[in-house]
Amino acid sequence: MTAAVGDPLRFGPAIVLAVIVAWLVLATYRTSREIGGRAYGFGMSIRQTLARVLFAAAVVGGLVALGLHAAGSASAAFAPLAGEASAIRLAGLALAVAGQVLTVVARSEMGCRWRVGIPDEAPDALVTTGLFGLSRNPVFLGMLAMAAGLAVAVPSLAVIACALAFWIACEVQVRDEERFLERSFGPAYTAYRSAVRRWI
C-alpha cells in the first residue's frame, strides 16, 4: 500500500471522529448558552441509561481504537481484519466524511431546537423542513453513516464493536425521542411521522 493511500487510511478515521466529537461538544455548549439551559441530558430510565452508556462507550472506544490504529498498535483488536483492500477501505473513509457533513448540516438546520438526549422541556416547534423533510432523523443518519464508514475504513474488532454499540444506542434513543415528541406535539408530530420516514 502506497503512502498516498496508507496515510489517509491510517490517520484519516481518527481525525474524522475527533473532529466531529469536538464539533458536537462545541455545538452543545453553544446551544446551551443560546437557550439559557442545558442542551444535553438523558432521562433516568433504564433505556436512557443504556443509550447514554452505549453512546459514551462507542465514542470513547472509537477514539481509543482509531487512535491506537493511527499510532500503529500491533494488537489484534486494533488491526484491520480485511487486509489490504484499500479501495473498499477508502470508500469507507469517504462514507464517514459524507456522514460527518450530513451530521453538521442537519444539526445546523435544527438551530437552537437541537438537543442531545431527552430534554426537560420540548423545543418551541418541530423541525420538518430541509433534510428533516426527507428523514425524521438526519443527524442520527449522518452519525450512523460515519460509524459504518469508520468500521469499513478500519475493520478491526474494536471499531466494529464500537459501531455496533453506536447503532444500538441510536435505535434506543430514536424510539425514546419519538415517544417524547409525540407527547409534546401530539397530532402535529403524528402527521409528520406519517409523512416522513424514520431513516430514509
Side-chain angles (χ1 to χ4, degrees):
M1 188 183 306
T2 67
V5 172
D7 286 349
L9 286 176
R10 182 174 172 187
F11 300 107
I15 291 169
V16 167
L17 184 57
V19 166
I20 200 67
V21 168
W23 180 83
L24 286 168
V25 168
L26 289 173
T28 304
Y29 174 74
R30 187 170 129 191
T31 302
S32 295
R33 289 188 58 190
E34 288 174 355
I35 65 174
R38 286 174 26 124
Y40 177 94
F42 288 85
M44 299 302 293
S45 70
I46 293 174
R47 288 174 57 85
Q48 281 290 283
T49 300
L50 174 65
R52 180 175 45 82
V53 168
L54 286 174
F55 278 132
V59 171
V60 173
L63 287 169
V64 169
L66 293 173
L68 288 172
H69 168 71
S73 172
S75 171
F78 306 109
L81 302 171
E84 300 295 320
S86 56
I88 294 172
R89 291 179 60 200
L90 283 171
L93 183 57
L95 175 62
V97 172
Q100 184 181 52
V101 171
L102 176 58
T103 300
V104 170
V105 172
R107 184 268 172 245
S108 297
E109 286 186 357
M110 292 189 78
C112 63
R113 294 183 177 108
W114 179 68
R115 303 290 188 273
V116 178
I118 303 292
D120 295 330
E121 296 180 9
D124 60 339
L126 286 169
V127 179
T128 60
T129 58
L131 291 171
F132 290 85
L134 304 172
S135 167
R136 297 198 312 265
N137 298 286
V139 176
F140 280 124
L141 188 61
M143 290 191 289
L144 284 169
M146 192 167 31
L150 292 174
V152 172
V154 183
S156 68
L157 291 173
V159 176
I160 292 169
C162 289
L164 288 172
F166 193 82
W167 172 64
I168 293 167
C170 284
E171 289 288 343
V172 171
Q173 188 62 29
V174 161
R175 283 160 176 76
D176 283 1
E177 288 185 8
E178 287 176 349
R179 285 189 285 273
F180 172 77
L181 292 171
E182 189 166 20
R183 287 193 308 271
S184 301
F185 295 103
Y189 181 73
T190 301
Y192 173 59
R193 187 178 61 193
S194 298
V196 179
R197 292 177 181 269
R198 175 181 284 150
W199 299 114
I200 51 176

